[in-house]
């Protein structure tokens, strides 16, 4: 139904061949890539992407959790073009640019961090890496050199650089990198109803050697959308901060409206000492991330010029003007278009649309907070790759999905419409029913 066929029909296969011959895709086995009927996207419009044959797909994963307002938004395009004519990039090392300053000022107004200071980077992993190093040096700058441990949660995902991988809990075939990881005190993730009490006990025991605690507030995304209550996060955060240990909130996935607030930390009523932003920060347009530091953290780095208190860390594209201009306009548009309220309403409708999915015998559980949704399938013993197969069936029906193991992730843009939510629900019911081999259709 979502076909508007281009001439020929071989062009997608030809692009896939060229792709497989030249590009190396992350988290992808390239030996089978070409045969896996990848969607080769040529353009996007609103909540849809279009492949090289002109086939249309509803982007139900926001292009891996980054798109917020839809693709090729006219207002964001205008902001990008406007900045393009001024300047695309100039370095933030030792100098400034107006686009980065404007964005830092705008973020400071909305981020739940006291006296927020932004250190920009380009990827979520780099924002976490910066936070981990800032926390380490924060103590060092106060002549405390024995706080070298971090506490992080089971199933945590914080990115793929070595430092962010270390605070993460592995999985996804990354265990071979274990010898490169620094040791972390690990307490259970959100799938344990007692995670907060157990994490509090660990902080009580180890706080004197902790440089920082890292959490994904409210939702552990890459873990398969494990969710917890705001009260549990608040109680844990209170213990951490009462002990004087910096709390790092990784909001790379939860930020910018996904959970039904601009930031999940707001829903929890917490104010982290360090906060990591990425993914949706530019509406999914350009690679940009930020580590936001509270003033007491930032001030620990003030000292003499070229002195030891300086944070000796930086990235070439830090504060990229093009990305910052788009991010600033994106924040304005979220407010102008009332997108947080819209996302909250859409989340309610998504919950209703997924009731039929949850009722399927092949579904173990639907976990959701705002628009962040994980549908855990319940494959019988011996069944393989259900997550993959369900998503492939959905893609064939024109809804772009990608699983995490046997969890089908649904994370639509904040701009998702009621009809599109219905389409996602209906398509999932058919796809799951098809794969589970039950009666056809729904
Ligand atoms: C995606 C993600 C990251 C890593 O961001 P990249 O931009 O992919 O490096 C870090 N933390 C969380 C919670 C994420 O979901």
């Amino acid at each position: 139904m979502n076909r508007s066929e281009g001439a020929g029909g071989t062009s997608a296969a030809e692009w896939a061949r060229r792709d497989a011959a030249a590009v190396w895709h992350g988290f992808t086995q390239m030996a089978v890539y070409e045969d896996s009927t990848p969607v080769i996207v040529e353009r996007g419009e609103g909540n849809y992407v279009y492949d090289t044959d002109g086939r249309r797909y509803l982007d139900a994963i926001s292009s891996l959790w980054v798109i917020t307002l839809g693709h090729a938004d006219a207002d964001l395009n205008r902001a990008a073009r406007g900045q393009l004519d001024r300047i695309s990039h100039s370095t933030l090392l030792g100098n400034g640019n107006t686009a980065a300053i404007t964005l830092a000022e705008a973020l400071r107004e909305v981020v739940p961090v006291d006296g927020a200071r932004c250190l920009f980077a380009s990827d979520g992993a780099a924002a976490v890496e910066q936070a981990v190093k800032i926390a380490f040096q924060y103590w060092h700058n106060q002549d405390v050199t024995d706080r070298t441990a971090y506490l992080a949660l089971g199933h945590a995902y914080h990115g793929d650089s070595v430092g962010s991988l270390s605070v993460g809990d592995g999985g996804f075939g990354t265990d071979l990198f274990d010898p490169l990881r620094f040791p972390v005190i690990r307490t259970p993730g959100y799938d344990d109803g007692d995670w907060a009490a157990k994490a509090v006990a660990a902080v009580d025991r180890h706080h004197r050697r902790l440089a920082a605690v890292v959490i994904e507030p409210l939702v552990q995304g890459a873990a398969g959308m494990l969710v917890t209550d705001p009260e549990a996060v608040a109680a844990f955060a209170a213990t951490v901060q009462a002990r004087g240990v910096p709390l790092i909130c990784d909001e790379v996935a939860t930020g910018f409206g996904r959970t039904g607030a601009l930031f999940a930390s707001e829903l929890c009523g917490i104010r982290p000492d360090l906060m990591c932003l990425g993914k949706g920060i530019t509406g999914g347009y350009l690679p940009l991330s930020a580590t936001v530091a509270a003033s007491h953290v930032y001030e620990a780095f003030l000292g003499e010029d070229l002195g030891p208190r300086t944070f000796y860390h930086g990235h070439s594209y830090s504060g990229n003007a093009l990305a910052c201009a788009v991010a600033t306009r994106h924040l304005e548009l979220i407010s102008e278009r009332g997108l947080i309220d819209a996302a909250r309403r859409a989340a309610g409708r998504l919950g209703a649309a997924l009731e039929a999915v949850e009722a399927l015998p092949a579904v173990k559980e639907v976990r959701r907070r705002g628009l962040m949704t994980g549908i855990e399938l319940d494959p019988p013993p011996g069944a393989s790759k259900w997550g993959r197969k369900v998503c492939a069936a959905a893609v064939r029906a024109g809804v772009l999905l990608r699983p995490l193991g046997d969890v089908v992730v649904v994370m639509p843009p904040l701009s998702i419409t009621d009809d599109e939510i219905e389409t996602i629900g209906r398509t999932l019911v058919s796809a799951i029913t098809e794969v589970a081999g039950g009666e056809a259709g729904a």
Side-chain angles (χ1 to χ4, degrees), residues 59 97-98 132 346 382 440:
D59 190 353
N97 75 60
T98 55
V132 163

Side-chain angles (χ1 to χ4, degrees), residues 65 123-125 157-159 216 250 252-253 279:
W65 317 358
D123 290 293
Y157 178 77
H158 297 291
E216 296 159 84
D250 177 354
V252 170
K279 289 200 168 105

Side-chain angles (χ1 to χ4, degrees), residues 53-77:
D53 287 341
R55 248 182 238 113
R56 182 177 94 146
Y57 304 86
L58 180 58
D59 190 353
I61 48 165
S62 301
S63 288
L64 224 90
W65 317 358
V66 299
I67 298 293
T68 58
L69 315 180
H71 296 273
D73 181 85
D75 289 319
L76 278 187
N77 286 1

Side-chain angles (χ1 to χ4, degrees), residues 26-86:
F27 284 106
T28 304
Q29 178 44 256
M30 294 309 296
V32 298
Y33 175 73
E34 194 181 338
D35 298 327
S36 67
T37 52
V39 174
I40 311 287
V41 172
E42 191 175 53
R43 64 188 185 88
E45 195 184 317
N47 299 328
Y48 296 87
V49 294
Y50 293 79
D51 73 9
T52 48
D53 287 341
R55 248 182 238 113
R56 182 177 94 146
Y57 304 86
L58 180 58
D59 190 353
I61 48 165
S62 301
S63 288
L64 224 90
W65 317 358
V66 299
I67 298 293
T68 58
L69 315 180
H71 296 273
D73 181 85
D75 289 319
L76 278 187
N77 286 1
R78 205 169 303 119
R81 285 194 197 101
Q83 184 60 43
L84 204 49
D85 289 335
R86 278 178 220 111

Side-chain angles (χ1 to χ4, degrees), residues 150-155 185-207 210 213 215 228 231-233 235-237 239-240 243:
Y150 295 82
L151 186 142
L153 303 185
H155 310 297
I185 297 165
R186 185 84 52 198
T187 58
Y190 297 159
D191 54 343
D192 182 330
D194 275 339
W195 76 268
K198 289 173 182 170
V200 163
V203 168
D204 286 342
R205 196 155 55 243
H206 298 292
H207 66 94
L210 285 179
V213 166
I215 59 166
T228 187
E231 296 76 23
V233 178
F236 177 54
T239 297
V240 172
R243 292 292 196 179

Side-chain angles (χ1 to χ4, degrees), residues 22-279:
V23 181
W24 190 346
H25 295 253
F27 284 106
T28 304
Q29 178 44 256
M30 294 309 296
V32 298
Y33 175 73
E34 194 181 338
D35 298 327
S36 67
T37 52
V39 174
I40 311 287
V41 172
E42 191 175 53
R43 64 188 185 88
E45 195 184 317
N47 299 328
Y48 296 87
V49 294
Y50 293 79
D51 73 9
T52 48
D53 287 341
R55 248 182 238 113
R56 182 177 94 146
Y57 304 86
L58 180 58
D59 190 353
I61 48 165
S62 301
S63 288
L64 224 90
W65 317 358
V66 299
I67 298 293
T68 58
L69 315 180
H71 296 273
D73 181 85
D75 289 319
L76 278 187
N77 286 1
R78 205 169 303 119
R81 285 194 197 101
Q83 184 60 43
L84 204 49
D85 289 335
R86 278 178 220 111
I87 189 169
S88 295
H89 183 70
S90 71
T91 184
L92 245 55
L93 307 189
N95 293 304
N97 75 60
T98 55
I101 297 164
T102 308
L103 175 59
E105 287 172 349
L107 283 171
R108 177 173 258 243
E109 295 295 312
V110 295
V111 169
V113 175
D114 295 327
R117 287 270 168 178
C118 286
L119 181 68
F120 293 110
S122 305
D123 290 293
V128 172
E129 199 85 19
Q130 291 183 155
V132 163
K133 288 177 70 180
I134 288 170
F136 188 89
Q137 189 175 343
Y138 166 75
W139 292 109
H140 204 274
N141 285 359
Q142 300 173 82
D143 299 320
V144 178
T145 52
D146 54 358
R147 285 184 180 260
T148 56
Y150 295 82
L151 186 142
L153 303 185
H155 310 297
Y157 178 77
H158 297 291
D160 292 324
S161 60
V162 173
S164 59
L165 202 60
S166 295
V167 285
D169 193 25
F172 307 110
T174 66
D175 293 354
L176 87 153
F177 296 117
D178 283 355
L180 299 182
R181 290 184 152 105
F182 54 75
V184 165
I185 297 165
R186 185 84 52 198
T187 58
Y190 297 159
D191 54 343
D192 182 330
D194 275 339
W195 76 268
K198 289 173 182 170
V200 163
V203 168
D204 286 342
R205 196 155 55 243
H206 298 292
H207 66 94
R208 278 179 204 84
R209 60 190 191 94
L210 285 179
V213 166
V214 192
I215 59 166
E216 296 159 84
L218 226 41
V219 187
Q220 293 187 297
M225 302 297 158
L226 301 178
V227 295
T228 187
D229 300 323
E231 296 76 23
V233 178
F236 177 54
T239 297
V240 172
Q241 291 180 313
R243 292 292 196 179
V245 177
L247 176 68
I248 302 173
C249 279
D250 177 354
E251 292 231 27
V252 170
T254 51
F256 301 95
R258 282 314 162 187
T259 63
L262 194 55
F263 299 106
S265 295
E266 296 173 69
L267 291 178
C268 303
I270 62 175
R271 300 187 70 79
D273 304 281
L274 287 156
M275 193 160 153
C276 305
L277 305 176
K279 289 200 168 105

